[in-house]
Amino acid sequence: MEFRKDKFEDFYEVGEEIGSGQFAVVKKCKHLKTNDEFAAKIIKKKRAMASRLGVKMEDIKKEIVILQEMDHENVIRIYEVFENKTHVILVLELVSGGELFDFIAEKERLSEEEASAFVKQILLGIKHMHSKRIAHLDLKPENVMLLNKNSQNIKLIDFGLSRVIKQGEFHRDMIGTPEFVAPEVINYDPLSLATDMWSIGIITYILLSGCSPFSGKDQQQTYEKICQLTYDFTSKYFENTSDLAKEFIGMLLKRDPLSRASVEECLNHAWIQPSEKKQSENRRKSVINIGN
Ligand SMILES: Cc1ccnnc1
């Protein structure tokens, strides 16, 4: 796989920083000929084998291959790649609405309709990834971006930890962000597409309550809570939450990856279905209630 060796700044005007990670920074950039705006993810290459700084070229290439396979409105797009001695620069679709994380922080928590609409889009993006046997493995509110400030459109970003999970192949790795990782990650058990479904359960819980079900005073306590599955809906923020929403979360926060709902089962769940179906669901239920 070859990347453009031209000087990035000869083709793009680099703008403000809009995101950053451990070994990467994301900046707004503008194509000098077309004036189109993009996001430039500038990844520092690991120089020496022994060095802990930077990202190995093989991992950078894995992220690029996965991004190039994606073609969905809820998944960030990649356009081209530049490489120089010290960095690889991914030219990505620009999403400028900020992180879902900040959107929740501003609003404390969301209505069930808003939360359901966001979760449905995350599920559609994940369905596209899972249809190609790709697991994101780092799903968290920071990696869900809003297309723009006042839109409900979201894009999944940051495929730095994503992996192709072949059927029956076991993939073990100690990765992800403590608060959002599934029990199999902590126990070094096989990871799978179901590992993403756990994270969707965590994100839904946070969208509805503003709090994180397993966060502890430190990483150790968080891991213990995850492995013991000590979570509940007793928080005062769940007082008005529907049973449907709690049932949805409950089908995802299961220790055994095989017993977790798949992305299709989630999309068919009444809490996610389009509202007209939900109304007929409620009508059906109300008829039954009158009947008995
Ligand atoms: C942070 C970010 C990443 C990709 N596109 N736009 C913004």
Side-chain angles (χ1 to χ4, degrees):
M1 172 188 282
E2 278 308 304
F3 306 139
R4 287 185 64 174
K5 296 290 191 299
D6 313 277
K7 196 166 175 311
F8 180 67
E9 288 78 2
D10 289 348
F11 296 84
Y12 291 85
E13 176 191 303
V14 182
E16 59 172 322
E17 183 174 315
I18 51 177
S20 66
Q22 199 180 12
F23 300 118
V25 64
V26 182
K27 295 187 177 183
K28 249 185 182 172
C29 63
K30 185 160 73 173
H31 193 268
L32 292 174
K33 279 208 175 58
T34 64
N35 271 345
D36 290 335
E37 287 199 308
F38 298 92
K41 182 173 181 179
I42 305 155
I43 306 172
K44 181 165 174 43
K45 286 155 72 169
K46 186 196 273 267
R47 301 301 297 272
M49 282 293 278
S51 155
R52 277 180 300 111
L53 291 177
V55 184
K56 283 190 288 193
M57 267 315 276
E58 68 177 293
D59 289 338
I60 296 174
K61 287 178 177 174
K62 269 184 198 158
E63 179 176 0
I64 291 167
V65 165
I66 284 175
L67 279 166
Q68 289 173 333
E69 265 209 74
M70 298 288 103
D71 178 21
H72 191 273
E73 60 183 2
N74 294 121
V75 178
I76 203 83
R77 293 184 188 284
I78 187 168
Y79 297 100
E80 59 179 342
V81 182
F82 288 74
E83 178 185 3
N84 59 39
K85 263 168 68 68
T86 54
H87 291 82
V88 175
I89 301 166
L90 280 53
V91 179
L92 302 169
E93 173 184 10
L94 175 64
V95 278
S96 47
E99 297 172 3
L100 178 58
F101 193 80
D102 298 321
F103 185 78
I104 310 167
E106 275 159 36
K107 301 194 71 166
E108 280 285 296
R109 63 193 196 287
L110 309 178
S111 71
E112 288 207 22
E113 286 67 29
E114 281 176 314
S116 171
F118 276 130
V119 171
K120 180 173 180 180
Q121 288 183 75
I122 296 171
L123 289 167
L124 290 170
I126 290 297
K127 178 180 180 181
H128 180 69
M129 292 182 64
H130 288 188
S131 71
K132 294 171 182 284
R133 310 274 329 141
I134 293 169
H136 188 286
L137 298 181
D138 195 18
L139 277 178
K140 53 186 177 180
E142 293 93 319
N143 286 339
V144 179
M145 299 279 297
L146 298 181
L147 194 54
N148 39 58
K149 281 277 178 243
N150 44 28
S151 86
Q152 306 274 346
N153 290 61
I154 62 105
K155 298 263 177 186
L156 300 179
I157 65 166
D158 202 343
F159 292 74
L161 297 180
S162 303
R163 294 285 181 279
V164 179
I165 306 261
K166 293 194 181 66
Q167 189 67 33
E169 183 191 274
F170 283 149
H171 183 88
R172 297 171 197 267
D173 211 339
M174 192 59 188
I175 54 173
T177 309
E179 210 176 312
F180 303 92
V181 294
E184 60 268 24
V185 175
I186 297 167
N187 297 323
Y188 215 62
D189 286 336
L191 308 186
S192 69
L193 301 179
T195 306
D196 284 337
M197 302 318 292
W198 170 279
S199 304
I200 291 174
I202 303 282
I203 290 172
T204 308
Y205 188 104
I206 294 174
L207 288 176
L208 290 169
S209 68
C211 29
S212 186
F214 301 114
S215 69
K217 66 180 183 334
D218 56 30
Q219 181 168 308
Q220 176 61 31
Q221 193 191 56
T222 298
Y223 282 173
E224 277 160 16
K225 286 183 159 189
I226 291 171
C227 293
Q228 288 151 18
L229 248 98
T230 48
Y231 81 97
D232 55 42
F233 296 116
T234 53
S235 150
K236 64 181 185 328
Y237 295 126
F238 281 108
E239 267 160 18
N240 305 318
T241 302
S242 68
D243 290 343
L244 265 183
K246 293 175 187 172
E247 181 189 75
F248 179 84
I249 294 171
M251 7 189 265
L252 296 171
L253 298 187
K254 288 185 183 283
R255 182 194 317 284
D256 174 9
L258 297 175
S259 60
R260 276 176 221 150
S262 69
V263 65
E264 280 80 5
E265 285 163 343
C266 286
L267 281 164
N268 291 327
H269 188 267
W271 191 65
I272 295 291
Q273 284 172 357
S275 51
E276 61 279 2
K277 274 196 197 167
K278 211 177 280 186
Q279 280 147 14
S280 63
E281 180 92 0
N282 293 341
R283 271 197 298 277
R284 188 178 59 79
K285 283 192 176 152
S286 59
V287 165
I288 290 170
N289 291 340
I290 293 167
N292 57 30

